Amino acid sequence: GVCIAQSLKIPREPRPGEFDKIILRLIETPNARAVIMFANEDDIRRILDAAKRNNLTGHFLWVGSDSWGSKISPVVQQERVAEGAVTILPKRVSVDAFDRYFKSRSLSNNRRNVWFAEFWEENFVCKLGQHGKRPGSPKKCT
């Protein structure tokens, strides 16, 4: 008894009015009122804002993915349009063995991982030598 009435995509770099177009497309199928969103926080905000602008507060039942989860930032000042939303937040469990392993990594024992140097520069806001990924960083990684 469940069908997917529409599958719409949010462009990576949406143009002005893009979210209003999405909302107008959604109301083309009047019997489909549940909207399942796999979107980032900013796009969720913009979808909710477009629904509010188009006087569709209370029309849709929003189902938000884990990018919405328990966060309030997507709904700040949009509480009425988001009222009744169901959001998903998967249970997260810490894996002690992985945490110990990850915390034991350093520049000297983790040269195989091609992303580790970039992680190190980003995490410690420093630059690894002259070929580091963070040009202009004042601090040299140690």
Side-chain angles (χ1 to χ4, degrees):
V2 175
C3 70
I4 297 173
Q6 295 190 51
S7 178
L8 304 175
K9 292 182 178 158
I10 298 170
R12 187 174 305 272
E13 294 181 25
R15 289 185 232 150
E18 193 73 44
F19 294 93
D20 291 295
K21 288 179 191 173
I22 290 170
I23 291 296
L24 295 175
R25 290 272 317 274
L26 289 172
I27 61 173
E28 289 174 0
T29 49
N31 292 336
R33 296 182 53 193
V35 178
I36 300 171
M37 287 196 281
F38 293 94
N40 65 47
E41 292 177 53
D42 291 336
D43 289 345
I44 292 167
R45 276 193 67 69
R46 293 187 272 191
I47 286 284
L48 294 173
D49 191 44
K52 186 165 70 174
R53 263 195 317 278
N54 286 280
N55 297 315
L56 292 166
T57 297
H59 181 81
F60 298 110
L61 168 64
W62 307 105
V63 179
S65 68
D66 59 337
S67 66
W68 185 343
S70 64
K71 297 173 189 155
I72 61 167
S73 58
V75 297
V76 171
Q77 298 180 353
Q78 316 228 65
E79 292 85 354
R80 293 211 4 108
V81 74
E83 190 173 333
V86 176
T87 63
I88 297 166
L89 184 62
K91 182 179 178 181
R92 296 181 183 173
V93 179
S94 180
V95 179
D96 292 334
F98 176 78
D99 289 345
R100 277 192 306 278
Y101 167 78
F102 189 74
K103 289 176 182 174
S104 74
R105 301 293 85 198
S106 70
L107 289 172
S108 61
N109 67 11
N110 203 31
R111 292 289 182 187
R112 282 186 335 177
N113 184 332
V114 296
W115 295 286
F116 193 75
E118 184 176 344
F119 158 77
W120 196 271
E121 287 183 332
E122 287 295 319
N123 192 55
F124 296 108
V125 191
C126 61
K127 184 177 175 185
L128 286 168
Q130 63 190 44
H131 300 295
K133 302 273 189 222
R134 291 184 65 93
S137 183
K139 188 171 100 179
K140 185 175 182 343
C141 295
T142 58

